[in-house]
Amino acid sequence: MEQHNFTSIVTEFVLLGLTQSPELQRFLFVIFFIVYVTTWLGNVTIITTVITNRQLHTPMYFLLANLAFLDVSDSSVTAPKLLLGLLSQRTTISFKECILQMFFFHFIAGAVIVVFVLMAADRYVAIYKPLRYLTIMNQGVCMGLVAGAWLGGLTHSAVQIALILQLPFCGPNILDNFYCDVPQVIKLACTDTYLVELLMVSNSGMLIIVMFIILLVSYTVILRKIKKHITDGKHKALSTCGTQITVVCLQFIPSIFIYARPFQKFPMDKLVSVIFTVIIPMLNPMIYTLRNAEMKMAIRRLISQMLSSGRKL
């Protein structure tokens, strides 16, 4: 059907979800419900541990707590709709809700990217300027940097949504996904979207690639410094940087696959979307706690204190 035959204004979108099989839907609901609960438990545990343990009141853990907050927030933008979709044969989302979901998703995801850059910068200062580390990365600076991360995410998302809102949606309203995202929604516009797609790829895809390259170069420089000059705490420094590199790769590689290419449909799109919207927010706290001895000890102390308080009650 030609696009000019569409005359109605789209008021809602139909989300096809991950599968149309009722048996598989029930199975996936249980799996992703466990994943979502684990995401909350893991990230909230990190946030609570950092807040309650004075030994963790350092720039590195302050940034880690902010990343945990962003992870649980990002997952909460998409996972509830995924779970609801797995309980229903037909899931719809209003046009306004779709726009809001895309806004908050890219707002938080943009802030996450900037926080990764801040964490790399924090390690750079800690390794190259150890004596001035706490002076350079003081509380005011950390608060300002995190505020800048949120502002960066807000700017990125505002540009995305502004470009989408200028498009007419007057016909097809079926999204072959479990949540609203730019690559799928933009294809439903009943007009030529080539220029808008080009702007979107520049705003999202190229930005992600540039940030990823900057982070890889930064961590390469840091690791070279650690291996050549640092002796005391070398293993701890290597472990910390290795953890951050792992998390960065998990976050950026799927994002590059989705956003740094023309908005064409690929068979792996849904799987990759599930990985970076639902799975990675759960894995991040696990990776940080399993590879960070200081964090593991702090979490054990927190759990012991909670159990002791429970017995007293």
Side-chain angles (χ1 to χ4, degrees):
M1 185 179 293
E2 294 181 2
Q3 291 185 357
H4 64 262
N5 288 333
F6 295 120
T7 57
S8 62
I9 297 175
V10 171
T11 59
E12 67 177 16
F13 292 105
V14 177
L15 299 173
L16 295 183
L18 296 179
T19 178
Q20 300 301 308
S21 168
E23 293 78 12
L24 188 55
Q25 282 183 330
R26 288 191 288 269
F27 173 74
L28 290 177
F29 175 83
V30 174
I31 297 298
F32 288 124
F33 180 78
I34 294 172
V35 169
Y36 186 51
V37 171
T38 304
T39 300
W40 266 90
L41 289 175
N43 285 292
V44 171
T45 298
I46 287 180
I47 296 169
T48 306
T49 303
V50 172
I51 292 174
T52 57
N53 193 314
R54 293 187 61 84
Q55 294 181 345
L56 300 183
H57 290 183
T58 64
M60 183 181 77
Y61 290 107
F62 174 74
L63 294 173
L64 176 58
N66 275 276
L67 178 62
F69 177 77
L70 289 168
D71 275 336
V72 75
S73 300
D74 206 18
S75 177
S76 296
V77 173
T78 57
K81 200 66 178 179
L82 168 62
L83 294 173
L84 287 174
L86 292 172
L87 292 177
S88 173
Q89 291 298 316
R90 178 183 172 88
T91 304
T92 61
I93 184 170
S94 71
F95 183 84
K96 291 181 178 179
E97 288 176 333
C98 183
I99 294 296
L100 284 174
Q101 188 178 55
M102 286 190 291
F103 172 78
F104 283 109
F105 179 73
H106 285 274
F107 175 23
I108 297 168
V112 167
I113 289 175
V114 181
V115 168
F116 279 129
V117 175
L118 297 181
M119 294 177 78
D122 170 75
R123 290 300 84 202
Y124 181 88
V125 175
I127 300 301
Y128 277 83
K129 305 286 184 181
L131 299 179
R132 299 179 56 202
Y133 172 61
L134 293 178
T135 302
I136 296 174
M137 298 294 293
N138 59 63
Q139 185 177 6
V141 170
C142 289
M143 294 291 289
L145 291 174
V146 170
W150 284 90
L151 181 60
L154 177 63
T155 303
H156 161 72
S157 184
V159 172
Q160 299 274 90
I161 299 304
L163 290 171
I164 289 178
L165 287 177
Q166 69 175 341
L167 298 173
F169 293 91
C170 52
N173 68 334
I174 297 177
L175 289 171
D176 190 15
N177 208 340
F178 58 92
Y179 71 108
C180 287
D181 200 8
V182 171
Q184 291 82 36
V185 172
I186 199 173
K187 283 296 185 182
L188 298 182
C190 46
T191 187
D192 181 20
T193 60
Y194 176 78
L195 180 59
V196 178
E197 287 185 44
L198 188 62
L199 292 172
M200 290 289 193
V201 171
S202 300
N203 180 259
S204 293
M206 294 306 297
L207 179 64
I208 294 171
I209 291 175
V210 170
M211 290 291 192
F212 188 46
I213 292 173
I214 290 173
L215 286 169
L216 291 180
V217 171
S218 300
Y219 280 116
T220 300
V221 172
I222 293 170
L223 291 174
R224 285 174 61 87
K225 174 71 173 179
I226 292 172
K227 291 181 178 180
K228 284 186 176 181
H229 301 291
I230 295 178
T231 55
D232 297 333
K234 187 173 183 176
H235 178 72
K236 181 180 177 181
L238 282 171
S239 178
T240 301
C241 288
T243 299
Q244 293 186 5
I245 292 170
T246 301
V247 173
V248 163
C249 290
L250 284 174
Q251 185 74 42
F252 276 77
I253 293 175
S255 300
I256 290 172
F257 177 82
I258 294 293
Y259 300 109
R261 59 176 170 83
F263 294 157
Q264 301 294 328
K265 185 178 178 181
F266 285 87
M268 292 288 290
D269 282 352
K270 285 187 182 181
L271 176 60
V272 176
S273 294
V274 169
I275 290 172
F276 83 87
T277 61
V278 181
I279 304 300
I280 290 175
M282 177 194 70
L283 292 179
N284 285 351
M286 291 184 178
I287 294 171
Y288 275 109
T289 53
L290 289 175
R291 298 194 59 177
N292 190 311
E294 192 173 14
M295 178 61 75
K296 284 191 289 187
M297 290 178 61
I299 291 174
R300 290 193 193 102
R301 285 196 294 268
L302 176 64
I303 294 174
S304 298
Q305 291 172 3
M306 292 174 64
L307 292 175
S308 298
S309 300
R311 293 193 193 98
K312 290 178 182 179
L313 293 174

